[in-house]
Amino acid sequence: MPNFEELKSEIAKRFDEADSLEALNDLRIEYLGKKGKIADLMKQMKSVPKEEKREFGQAVNQIKTETSALFDEKKRALEAKALEEKLASETIDLTLPGRKPAHGNLNPLTLIEQELEDLFIGLGYQVIEGDEVVDDLYCFERANIPKDHPARDMQDSLYLDPEHLLRTHTTAIQMKVLEQDAPNPIKVVCPGKVYRRDDDDATHSHQFMQMEGLVIGEHVPLSDLKGTLEFFARKMFGEEREIRFRPSFFPFTEPSVEVDVSCHMCGGKGCPTCKGTGWIEILGAGEVNPKVLEMAGYDSTKMNGFAFGIGIERVAMLKYGIDDIRHFYTNDQRFNELFDRMD
Ligand code: DAH
């Protein structure tokens, strides 16, 4: 007969000493496993004399039951201890300040575009976008830009094939809208990206943004253009701003004007921003050329109107005092955060 009492106390001691769930599991395998010590005892049954078999069997069974109970008890204790330690390490300090989730910011060009759209929607304009790849027809031909004009040169514009190019100005959208809406009245602004074959530097970019404006109706006075642009200048650059028209030339407008705004930095006295003149050139505009109207399907003796083209980068650079156009496109989060403050 093995010494069952000795075995029991050995088991009790070993289980008592187990200090982790892994160690406890090792003990379970060592004693209760299929090839464990208790299973070995069971196997010895064969060689036990017949009259002792009963006593032997009961003793082994008892050890097995007790060891299982010991195992369960110790397992619960170790699990409870592990949970307690986990909870202690996860204690929440409610007095700590909250963590701010990181968020992106809108690019200042998007902000200006949205501000301009709101401004013109408030004046009853519709916002229309167009394709960035356009036919030569809408970019140039319909805009009354002759075949020998430098803009039509491969050196200046990004052609995809002889008939298609990346639009060089949002005036291409204007020409499409005119054709689609003729002979009806129109009041739209058309924002979007435009492309030119330019070397990038502080003031040039091969891709930039414009917003085209177009109003067509019966007897639209040129003073409406002046009033509209004055409203735009005051909303964007301050209530005291004045505007002035200077004669200019664009093939799609007749007469054409270049529009200056009184300098918002010095109030018109003269400073580096306005190069000492008190005025800043801000956009091109004019009365839509009757030839353009006729090509699109309007009767230019009955309908007329005006158009303007705003450079979105130019407005943003002037408004925010940005000195390099490349800042808009490098996606430096520190730059974007300066304009779109959400916190
Ligand atoms: N398309 C001109 C450009 O890209 C801008 C422009 C000037 C648009 C006068 C107009 C306009 O609609 O009337 O430089």
Side-chain angles (χ1 to χ4, degrees):
M1 258 302 174
N3 189 337
F4 288 120
E5 285 315 311
E6 210 170 88
L7 180 62
K8 270 192 206 173
S9 56
E10 174 195 314
I11 292 176
K13 187 165 175 284
R14 302 267 324 267
F15 273 72
D16 188 44
E17 283 168 1
D19 57 0
S20 70
L21 285 164
E22 294 79 47
L24 183 66
N25 198 42
D26 290 345
L27 285 180
R28 185 185 61 75
I29 293 164
E30 184 179 339
Y31 288 98
L32 295 165
K34 268 200 197 115
K35 293 179 181 160
K37 288 186 174 160
I38 296 174
D40 281 351
L41 281 176
M42 282 297 201
K43 282 179 206 146
Q44 287 173 28
M45 190 77 144
K46 292 198 288 287
S47 48
V48 174
K50 206 175 175 194
E51 60 281 8
E52 287 175 20
K53 270 198 199 309
R54 187 183 152 89
E55 196 193 336
F56 184 93
Q58 278 177 348
V60 176
N61 270 335
Q62 197 195 355
I63 288 193
K64 192 176 177 188
T65 316
E66 281 178 16
T67 308
S68 295
L70 263 184
F71 171 78
D72 289 343
E73 192 186 319
K74 187 75 187 190
K75 185 168 179 238
R76 270 195 298 276
L78 286 171
E79 280 173 350
K81 193 168 148 238
L83 182 66
E84 209 172 288
E85 283 169 3
K86 184 165 180 277
L87 287 177
S89 73
E90 282 180 357
T91 308
I92 296 167
D93 182 350
L94 294 173
T95 64
L96 283 175
R99 283 193 210 112
K100 271 196 202 131
H103 59 75
N105 295 82
L106 292 178
N107 187 288
L109 295 178
T110 309
L111 293 175
I112 294 284
E113 185 189 341
Q114 288 176 350
E115 207 175 324
L116 288 172
E117 283 178 10
D118 286 350
L119 187 159
F120 283 107
I121 287 169
L123 292 176
Y125 284 70
Q126 227 186 313
V127 179
I128 305 277
E129 291 184 20
D131 298 330
E132 289 181 26
V133 174
V134 292
D135 288 9
D136 178 279
L137 178 73
Y138 296 103
C139 203
F140 300 130
E141 198 75 40
R142 289 287 178 83
N144 192 35
I145 297 176
K147 284 264 192 267
D148 57 356
H149 193 281
R152 297 183 75 151
D153 197 320
M154 303 288 274
Q155 303 293 321
D156 289 296
S157 303
L158 292 153
Y159 277 87
L160 305 176
D161 63 44
E163 287 307 316
H164 299 92
L165 71 158
L166 291 172
R167 65 186 177 202
T168 58
H169 53 179
T170 46
T171 306
I173 313 177
Q174 187 195 143
M175 297 311 148
K176 196 101 190 199
V177 172
L178 277 171
E179 181 185 83
Q180 280 165 1
D181 288 9
N184 298 306
I186 299 176
K187 198 170 178 183
V188 295
V189 281
C190 317
K193 292 188 185 117
V194 298
Y195 302 83
R196 295 202 188 157
R197 202 183 270 260
D198 240 339
D199 289 331
D200 293 354
D201 63 22
T203 51
H204 294 87
S205 171
H206 63 282
Q207 181 242 290
F208 54 100
M209 292 186 75
Q210 290 185 332
M211 183 179 274
E212 193 84 5
L214 175 68
V215 176
I216 300 292
E218 284 176 37
H219 313 297
V220 178
L222 202 57
S223 56
D224 275 9
L225 171 64
K226 193 153 191 195
T228 303
L229 294 180
E230 202 166 71
F231 180 78
F232 148 79
R234 289 180 179 171
K235 278 274 185 232
M236 296 307 285
F237 297 106
E239 282 307 318
E240 322 80 66
R241 298 284 73 78
E242 297 294 334
I243 63 166
R244 72 176 184 189
F245 282 179
R246 270 184 300 109
S248 185
F249 173 79
F250 299 105
F252 33 89
T253 44
E254 183 58 41
S256 303
V257 291
E258 227 137 345
V259 183
D260 298 340
V261 182
S262 60
C263 181
H264 58 294
M265 298 301 278
C266 61
K269 284 198 237 40
C271 71
T273 302
C274 58
K275 299 192 183 92
T277 64
W279 294 94
I280 296 175
E281 185 193 320
I282 192 102
L283 54 86
E287 177 88 13
V288 179
N289 191 323
K291 274 199 220 162
V292 168
L293 287 176
E294 293 289 341
M295 279 190 277
Y298 281 89
D299 178 348
S300 67
T301 60
K302 293 212 176 87
M303 304 285 269
N304 77 320
F306 59 78
F308 52 89
I310 301 172
I312 294 189
E313 279 79 357
R314 179 143 178 84
V315 171
M317 288 170 87
L318 287 170
K319 188 170 162 122
Y320 295 136
I322 298 165
D323 59 1
D324 193 324
I325 196 168
R326 291 169 293 198
H327 285 311
F328 293 121
Y329 308 111
T330 42
N331 256 337
D332 186 332
Q333 184 61 10
R334 293 166 303 179
F335 174 75
N336 289 352
E337 272 171 8
L338 293 173
F339 308 99
D340 184 21
R341 304 207 69 92
M342 290 170 67
D343 40 31

